[in-house]
């Protein structure tokens, strides 16, 4: 099947940018990516690509006994996408026990999440940069039977060459920002239309489905299934019974982005007693107030946040350096990977970041599942569908700004049950759960019956 090549302008732009992309690739490889990251982003094989305990020859697709295998390839850009896809991947592995499963990511943190979440039961590879040679090498090496792409990753060369090899692609939990509306007839619009030809779109909402149709997806291939982020979360978060990560009551600002930490800290200081605001204060007084904990969206920002808070006169500890809490510590930075469920489980109240800045919000279901009173800022366009449900059922609070966020976090004085929003939010969320409980079965029905 001949591929519909990307527009000429895209190909020329890619060539023009290739030196910059190569420099970025080297920089990330010298950081936390390593030699494997460098080679695989160029589509080349590495000896340690497979993490499966039962190795499969990636060229012949046969296991050690010589049995031919089918390959399911799931692409999940980074940590959030891996977590979103995990319940569906587990369910598909149960129903397709003879299939080889490979998950690709763009980032080393995504790779670490795959390793931790699946414990050697799947293979991992880095997705190649969208150069035709790199994509050809990757597809020849992996030779997937079917491809599932999580959320928003649309790569013209990769899609075209997969189409050429007869590999069906479905975008699962498909979502698009309202801003993704290229001018009709432009080379960008033509590029999207060509890339999406023949691609199945399993959208999380009616609004996302309409955006994909406008982008060029074939209407008959677009189906609204629901938000896959809902699948599996009641188990992943509600059953985390580990003890609190810190000995003091705390409130949580999770998945925060640059700018949110400073704004919330300034507002938080005004919520404390007059005798502690504006100064590090007496240790016994400080310890009587709940600790403010930040879990940044990107843990590597820990040092940056610590230095920014120092400009406010706030001495903040970093969990990656010292998990202990000092008696005079008022703010703590949990810059570690994989502990967010535990932080939510014991938080007296939680703010979900990316919602005070133009980031569109992060997953606000997680703290609600953990039973934590939850507040978000006004910018949550990434989650329009679930926010509509949550607000309709009074299951979440929307704050206009950082001052309102800090007021919400302080309302329970470090005691979850004393928070004025706790009971009403949990009652509302119980009603919301009834709406979202069938998302995973719908995905399985479509994917397992799709020709």
């Amino acid at each position: 099947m001949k591929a519909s090549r990307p527009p000429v302008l895209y190909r020329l732009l890619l060539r023009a940018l290739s030196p910059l992309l190569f420099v970025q690739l080297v920089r990330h490889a010298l950081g936390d990516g390593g030699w494997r990251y460098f080679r695989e982003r160029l589509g080349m094989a590495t000896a340690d690509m497979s993490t499966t305990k039962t190795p499969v020859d990636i060229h012949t697709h046969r296991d050690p006994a010589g049995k031919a295998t089918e390959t399911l390839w799931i692409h999940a850009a980074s940590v959030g996408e891996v977590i979103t896809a995990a319940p569906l991947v587990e369910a598909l592995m149960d129903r397709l026990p003879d299939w080889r499963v490979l998950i690709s990511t763009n980032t080393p943190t995504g790779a670490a999440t795959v390793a931790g979440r699946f414990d050697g039961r799947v293979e991992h590879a880095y997705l190649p940069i969208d150069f035709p040679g790199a994509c050809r090498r990757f597809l020849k090496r992996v030779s997937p039977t079917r491809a599932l792409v999580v959320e928003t990753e649309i790569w013209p060369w990769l899609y075209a060459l997969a189409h050429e090899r007869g590999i069906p692609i479905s975008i699962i939990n498909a979502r698009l920002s309202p801003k993704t509306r290229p001018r009709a007839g432009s080379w960008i619009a033509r590029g999207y239309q060509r890339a999406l030809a023949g691609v199945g779109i399993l959208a999380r909402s009616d609004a996302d489905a309409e955006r994909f149709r406008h982008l060029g997806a074939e209407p008959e291939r677009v189906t609204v299934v629901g938000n896959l982020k809902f699948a599996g979360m009641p188990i992943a978060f509600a059953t985390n019974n580990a003890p609190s990560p810190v000995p003091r009551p705390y409130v949580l600002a999770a998945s925060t982005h640059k700018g949110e930490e400073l704004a919330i800290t300034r507002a938080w200081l005004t919520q404390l007693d007059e005798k502690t605001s504006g100064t590090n204060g007496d240790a016994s007084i400080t310890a009587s107030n709940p600790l403010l904990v930040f879990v940044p969206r990107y843990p590597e920002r820990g040092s940056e946040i610590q230095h920014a808070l120092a400009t406010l006169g706030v001495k903040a500890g970093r969990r990656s350096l010292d998990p202990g809490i000092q008696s005079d510590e008022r703010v703590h930075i949990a810059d570690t990977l994989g502990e967010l469920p535990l932080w939510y489980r014991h938080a007296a109240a939680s703010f979900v970041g990316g919602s005070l800045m133009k980031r569109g919000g992060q997953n606000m279901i997680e703290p609600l599942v953990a039973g934590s009173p939850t507040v978000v800022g006004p910018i949550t366009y990434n989650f329009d569908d679930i926010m509509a449900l949550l607000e309709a059922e009074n299951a979440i609070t929307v704050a206009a700004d950082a001052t309102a966020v800090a007021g919400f976090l302080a309302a329970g004085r470090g005691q979850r049950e004393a928070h004025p929003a706790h009971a009403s939010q949990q009652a509302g969320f119980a009603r919301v759960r009834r709406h979202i409980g069938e998302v995973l079965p719908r995905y399985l029905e479509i994917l397992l019956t799709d020709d």
Side-chain angles (χ1 to χ4, degrees):
M1 191 182 301
K2 185 173 177 58
S4 178
R5 290 192 165 199
V8 172
L9 280 176
Y10 176 80
R11 287 181 269 160
L12 291 175
L13 182 62
L14 201 59
R15 288 187 181 183
L17 292 176
S18 58
L20 178 61
L21 293 173
F22 188 80
V23 170
Q24 285 288 91
L25 181 61
V26 171
R27 186 173 68 85
H28 286 299
L30 292 175
D32 57 355
W35 178 240
R36 178 190 169 211
Y37 175 87
F38 180 83
R39 288 182 58 85
E40 291 188 10
R41 291 289 271 168
L42 293 176
M44 293 182 276
T46 57
D48 60 345
M49 186 200 82
S50 173
T51 59
T52 180
K53 293 177 181 176
T54 306
V56 175
D57 188 304
I58 61 177
H59 300 291
T60 66
H61 292 268
R62 294 180 180 275
D63 64 19
K67 181 180 178 181
T69 62
E70 303 284 356
T71 299
L72 176 63
W73 163 39
I74 301 104
H75 176 62
S78 193
V79 175
E81 291 80 6
V82 173
I83 293 172
T84 293
L88 178 61
V89 175
E90 293 278 8
L92 288 171
M93 289 170 67
D94 286 344
R95 288 159 179 77
L96 302 170
D98 295 328
W99 282 50
R100 164 184 176 241
V101 177
L102 179 138
I103 300 177
S104 62
T105 66
N106 298 339
T107 66
T109 53
T113 304
V114 171
R117 178 64 174 78
F118 293 98
D119 191 27
R121 293 175 294 129
V122 304
E123 296 177 46
H124 172 268
Y126 289 109
L127 189 76
I129 297 173
D130 201 41
F131 295 149
C135 293
R136 285 193 184 97
R137 287 190 290 270
F138 173 81
L139 293 173
K140 180 180 180 180
R141 174 164 56 96
V142 173
S143 191
T145 308
R146 182 162 190 180
L148 304 179
V149 178
V150 183
E151 295 193 349
T152 58
E153 297 270 304
I154 303 172
W155 297 107
W157 269 120
L158 184 67
Y159 279 37
L161 295 172
H163 182 69
E164 185 177 79
R165 294 175 69 94
I167 302 165
I169 298 176
S170 296
I171 302 179
I172 60 174
N173 209 49
R175 68 177 181 90
L176 283 175
S177 163
K179 298 178 181 178
T180 311
R181 295 182 68 87
R183 181 172 54 83
S186 67
W187 69 269
I188 297 176
R190 292 195 304 274
Y192 276 125
Q193 187 172 21
R194 292 181 189 181
L196 292 172
V199 174
I201 307 295
L202 303 185
R204 62 177 195 165
S205 70
D206 290 328
D208 289 300
E210 182 53 37
R211 289 167 193 151
F212 270 97
R213 294 187 194 100
H214 184 271
L215 203 62
E218 298 166 3
E220 67 275 13
R221 293 183 180 273
V222 180
T223 305
V224 179
V225 187
N227 198 327
L228 195 55
K229 288 182 183 288
F230 306 149
M233 285 185 184
I235 296 174
F237 282 79
T239 60
N240 192 327
N241 294 319
S244 176
V246 292
R248 283 168 51 188
Y250 65 90
V251 296
L252 189 67
S255 298
T256 52
H257 289 259
K258 186 174 182 178
E260 290 181 320
E261 296 92 4
L262 276 179
I264 292 170
T265 301
R266 286 193 186 100
W268 175 252
L269 295 179
T270 69
Q271 298 293 331
L272 301 180
D273 291 340
E274 183 177 350
K275 51 193 169 183
T276 62
S277 64
T279 177
N280 280 335
D282 179 81
S284 63
I285 296 173
T286 299
S288 69
N289 288 289
L291 182 70
L292 173 61
V293 176
F294 287 107
V295 180
R297 179 72 175 87
Y298 302 105
E300 60 268 25
R301 292 186 55 241
S303 177
E304 169 197 323
I305 297 168
Q306 186 180 49
H307 285 96
L309 295 180
T311 66
L312 301 180
V314 175
K315 182 181 178 182
R318 289 174 56 196
R319 186 166 174 83
S320 63
L321 301 179
D322 181 3
I325 302 294
Q326 302 302 314
S327 60
D328 62 344
E329 196 169 333
R330 292 189 294 171
V331 180
H332 190 72
I333 304 164
D335 55 343
T336 52
L337 189 65
E339 291 190 307
L340 186 55
L342 179 61
W343 286 108
Y344 276 139
R345 180 71 180 84
H346 297 281
S350 299
F351 163 73
V352 183
S355 57
L356 290 176
M357 320 296 290
K358 292 184 178 179
R359 298 285 185 169
Q362 300 293 155
N363 193 334
M364 63 284 297
I365 291 292
E366 297 170 348
L368 291 168
V369 168
S372 181
T374 303
V375 62
V376 295
I379 308 172
T380 56
Y381 53 75
N382 288 337
F383 297 87
D384 285 343
D385 51 346
I386 186 58
M387 280 299 297
L389 278 173
L390 293 171
E391 289 187 83
E393 297 293 351
N394 195 30
I396 199 165
T397 298
V398 179
D401 52 30
T403 299
V405 168
F408 181 94
L409 294 177
R413 301 292 293 178
Q415 300 298 319
R416 176 180 290 189
E417 291 74 17
H419 198 288
H422 177 62
S424 60
Q425 284 193 359
Q426 285 299 295
F429 186 57
R431 295 188 291 271
V432 169
R433 270 181 160 163
R434 291 195 289 270
H435 291 281
I436 65 179
E438 293 302 313
V439 171
L440 185 58
R442 288 199 296 270
Y443 267 98
L444 291 173
E445 180 182 3
I446 292 169
L447 293 174
L448 294 176
T449 59
D450 190 359
D451 294 330

